[in-house]
Amino acid sequence: MTTVAAPGFSTTASALRRLYFVRFAFAIVWALVMIPLAKHLNPVTGTLLVVYPLVDVAAAIIDARASRAIGTPSLLYVNVAISLLAAVGLAVASTSGIPAVLRVWGLWAIVAGLLQLIVGVTRRKMGGQWPMIISGGISVLAGGSFIAGASADNPVLTNAIGYAIPGAIFFLIAAIRLGRAAKGN
């Protein structure tokens, strides 16, 4: 059952719902484009790796603006900074090889996942946040596996890229669940 406990939740839920649908679509398309490219780093792959956290930056800014009414934007601005650092780190790492990319991607997944988990917990009264909470926790665990995978004999980007697909599914589930909160029920 979804509970709307404060004014502004339905407006915020509506904006987040739209954002989550967009993030779902982007992550699916990005992953489908990246999967065939996952065995080798080249300028196209490096650019696409940098684009992913930049989209996260844009989404966090939109989310922060939509969330002012419910008082949760401060951690989202931290996420903006973390994702900007990740984009820069991935640009540099993509010139050093797949292990470096996996380490940066993993560190970003851990920190961004922790932030997503905390934001989801603070928003749970709005409804539709359990998928975000679970996704944040999974992101932390996945980040650790990417860092560990960087030490493999022949590391590949497939797992890091495939990580976008469950994240997309969690955004879709959250968007659907936010439908009730967006209607003010």
Side-chain angles (χ1 to χ4, degrees):
M1 182 171 158
T2 302
T3 305
V4 179
F9 274 10
S10 64
T11 303
T12 301
S14 181
L16 291 179
R17 186 170 196 250
R18 287 188 302 275
L19 177 63
Y20 290 175
F21 277 129
V22 169
R23 292 199 69 180
F24 160 75
F26 169 77
I28 291 295
V29 170
W30 182 88
L32 291 175
V33 169
M34 284 293 291
I35 287 172
L37 305 172
K39 292 182 182 176
H40 305 288
L41 268 177
N42 58 48
V44 173
T45 311
T47 300
L48 290 170
L49 286 166
V50 170
V51 165
Y52 200 91
L54 291 178
V55 168
D56 196 54
V57 167
I61 291 169
I62 292 166
D63 191 336
R65 289 181 180 163
S67 300
R68 287 185 201 146
I70 62 169
T72 61
S74 59
L75 284 177
L76 295 167
Y77 290 119
V78 172
N79 190 49
V80 167
I82 296 301
S83 293
L84 281 172
L85 287 172
V88 171
L90 286 165
V92 172
S94 68
T95 65
S96 298
I98 291 175
V101 168
L102 288 172
R103 287 182 188 102
V104 172
W105 192 270
L107 184 59
W108 175 52
I110 290 168
V111 176
L114 281 172
L115 291 171
Q116 182 180 19
L117 192 148
I118 294 166
V119 170
V121 167
T122 62
R123 291 180 173 170
R124 70 184 183 281
K125 287 183 182 176
M126 179 175 55
Q129 293 303 299
W130 280 107
M132 296 294 91
I133 293 167
I134 295 167
S135 178
I138 290 172
S139 185
V140 171
L141 297 174
S145 76
F146 304 146
I147 293 169
S151 299
D153 290 338
N154 190 18
V156 293
L157 296 170
T158 308
N159 289 343
I161 293 164
Y163 154 80
I165 295 170
I169 293 167
F170 280 114
F171 275 116
L172 177 62
I173 293 167
I176 292 166
R177 291 183 53 93
L178 276 170
R180 286 182 239 133
K183 292 176 186 167
N185 294 334

